Amino acid sequence: MSDVVWAAPRPLAQSKPVEEWDEDTLVLGIETSCDETSASVVRGGRQILSNVIASQVELHGEYGGIVPEIAARAHVESLTPVIREALLQADVTFWDLDAVAATLGPGLIGSLLIGVAEAKAMAAVLDVPFVGVNHLEAHIYSNLLSDAEARFPAAVLLISGGHTLLVHAHEHGNYELLGGTIDDAAGEAFDKVARFLGLDYPGGPEIDRLSLLGNPAAVDFPRAMLREPGFDVSYSGLKTAVINYVRKCESAGGEISVQDIAASFQQAVVDIQVLKTMSAVTHVAAERLFLCGGVAANSALRKGLEEACAAAGVTFTVPPLDLCTDNAAMVAACGTAMLRRGFYTSLDAAPDPNLPLAAS
Ligand code: KG4
Ligand code: ZN
């Protein structure tokens, strides 16, 4: 369990009563959980006035993955200019803000600390509430931001570099975990397979791009746990199967088509995830499915779930690409929904690298 302290609502000098967190509420969101430095101003929890993202991809690219120390240092350098740019683009000043929300976890502790420290300092100086947001819950809110009709209850597939979860979102702040990966997250598998194939970091978009040129039926990679009951998935074996296949081809002196391998790997992920997700949707009799997280940017997964939902009469929502990967607009939107429920966070609260979804 998390040791995060959730402060009971109490009036601050300039904060509004809970019932006044309305469509004019301006919340600054800050996201620094991993390798994107982002700040955003969102009005009323739904209208994005700015969403500035400084990517660190080039810094980590030469290492083939995120280096936590480099990520934290880059956040220190980028965060203040990114916040300034977010306010400029939104055409608001610090003094217009009603609250400051920042990702409290899960994520890399060094990275989380930068955003949380800056958010707390700003909230204290401006005398407005600080809201510590769960990064996973924030991803769910990217669906509410991108589709005015989207609402709870909904089944959610949250699929990213750090997590792969199937969730039944009953209402704001009430999430039931239905299943998830028992080993690697889907995005982690994309990145590791891409690295093995010599592709650039992050590997997910590269595999997506190459797959368009390949044959998804070229190699029949295993689909683990497909016939097992429940909604858990496993990607570690699939990743190993790709590696073993390439090594076997190489030692036999055969030709390897990176495009075919990428397409076949991606098809296996899509088959697994579409089947498990639609089983979960049926199990909870969900009328809506939200797809979110970085891997939600994958074109084949978007198409696969869109078609499956259309066939099942389920309303499907997926954010545009820039709201799938890490961004601060989803943090501001989630923070606003927390404020509406009377939650904000003590300035004593510490970032939690393992913050579970249920704690939010
Ligand atoms: O949500 P996110 O930005 O960060 C985490 O919270 O993990 O997700 C990043 C992950 C990376 O693993 C990246 O390779 C993957 O999302 N990703 C994709 C695509 N775009 C990003 N995976 C597959 N296809 C894509 N188009
Ligand atoms: Zn994320």
Side-chain angles (χ1 to χ4, degrees):
M1 280 297 289
S2 141
D3 58 0
V4 170
V5 179
W6 299 102
R10 66 186 163 83
L12 290 176
Q14 292 189 26
S15 79
K16 306 181 190 190
V18 167
E19 60 279 9
E20 287 180 23
W21 292 105
D22 53 19
E23 57 275 8
D24 289 330
T25 301
L26 282 182
V27 175
L28 174 71
I30 294 177
E31 159 62 33
T32 63
S33 67
C34 195
D35 62 339
E36 318 278 11
T37 314
S38 181
S40 162
V41 180
V42 171
R43 193 199 302 274
R46 288 270 190 178
Q47 188 191 1
I48 302 173
L49 301 186
S50 62
N51 190 20
V52 178
I53 303 169
S55 170
Q56 301 178 7
V57 161
E58 283 183 13
L59 291 177
H60 301 286
E62 65 176 293
Y63 302 98
I66 296 163
V67 183
E69 175 65 22
I70 292 176
R73 282 168 187 250
H75 286 308
V76 171
E77 283 173 16
S78 306
L79 185 53
T80 301
V82 163
I83 291 173
R84 190 181 300 128
E85 183 61 26
L87 294 173
L88 270 175
Q89 287 186 16
D91 197 20
V92 300
T93 71
F94 283 112
W95 305 102
D96 296 320
L97 299 173
D98 294 300
V100 183
T103 301
L104 202 59
L108 300 169
I109 186 63
S111 293
L112 290 167
L113 277 164
I114 313 299
V116 169
E118 187 132 342
K120 283 183 186 173
M122 284 177 56
V125 170
L126 299 172
D127 203 10
V128 297
F130 160 67
V131 196
V133 169
N134 185 306
H135 181 80
L136 306 176
E137 187 178 12
H139 270 300
I140 297 174
Y141 275 80
S142 62
N143 292 85
L144 300 183
L145 267 177
S146 55
D147 180 353
E149 302 296 313
R151 58 186 185 275
F152 298 129
V156 180
L157 171 60
L158 197 173
I159 183 161
S160 70
H163 297 85
T164 301
L165 301 175
L166 272 166
V167 175
H168 190 192
H170 293 277
E171 56 183 337
H172 295 277
N174 182 351
Y175 308 106
E176 180 191 351
L177 186 62
L178 301 172
T181 181
I182 59 164
D183 40 53
D184 291 353
E188 192 181 348
F190 267 97
D191 293 340
K192 284 178 177 169
V193 164
R195 191 174 171 179
F196 180 75
L197 295 174
L199 307 177
D200 285 344
Y201 173 83
E206 285 294 295
I207 289 190
D208 195 350
R209 190 179 56 78
L210 280 177
S211 295
L212 298 173
L213 311 169
N215 173 9
V219 191
D220 187 20
F221 289 125
R223 275 96 167 128
M225 300 180 73
L226 217 50
R227 269 168 281 281
E228 288 181 29
F231 311 111
D232 285 344
V233 294
S234 162
Y235 287 118
S236 172
L238 174 59
K239 171 196 67 192
T240 310
V242 175
I243 293 171
N244 289 343
Y245 174 82
V246 173
R247 290 207 172 120
K248 212 167 131 194
C249 288
E250 279 173 349
S251 60
E255 278 283 301
I256 294 171
S257 159
V258 175
Q259 287 94 334
D260 282 352
I261 293 169
S264 301
F265 161 76
Q266 179 175 280
Q267 190 59 49
V269 175
V270 172
D271 287 351
I272 294 166
Q273 216 52 75
V274 170
L275 191 134
K276 287 292 182 182
T277 304
M278 295 315 290
S279 308
V281 165
T282 306
H283 178 76
V284 300
E287 291 177 5
R288 281 182 198 80
L289 174 67
F290 293 174
L291 174 62
C292 55
V295 183
N298 184 267
S299 57
L301 183 62
R302 293 165 85 93
K303 187 162 175 279
L305 283 172
E306 191 180 355
E307 288 172 359
C309 283
V314 171
T315 306
F316 178 59
T317 302
V318 61
L321 302 193
D322 58 341
L323 291 180
C324 288
T325 43
D326 290 347
N327 67 89
M330 66 185 195
V331 176
C334 184
T336 310
M338 291 172 72
L339 289 161
R340 286 205 177 114
R341 300 201 312 278
F343 277 98
Y344 50 90
T345 310
S346 163
L347 293 180
D348 297 334
D352 182 347
N354 302 309
L355 191 65
L357 183 62
S360 48

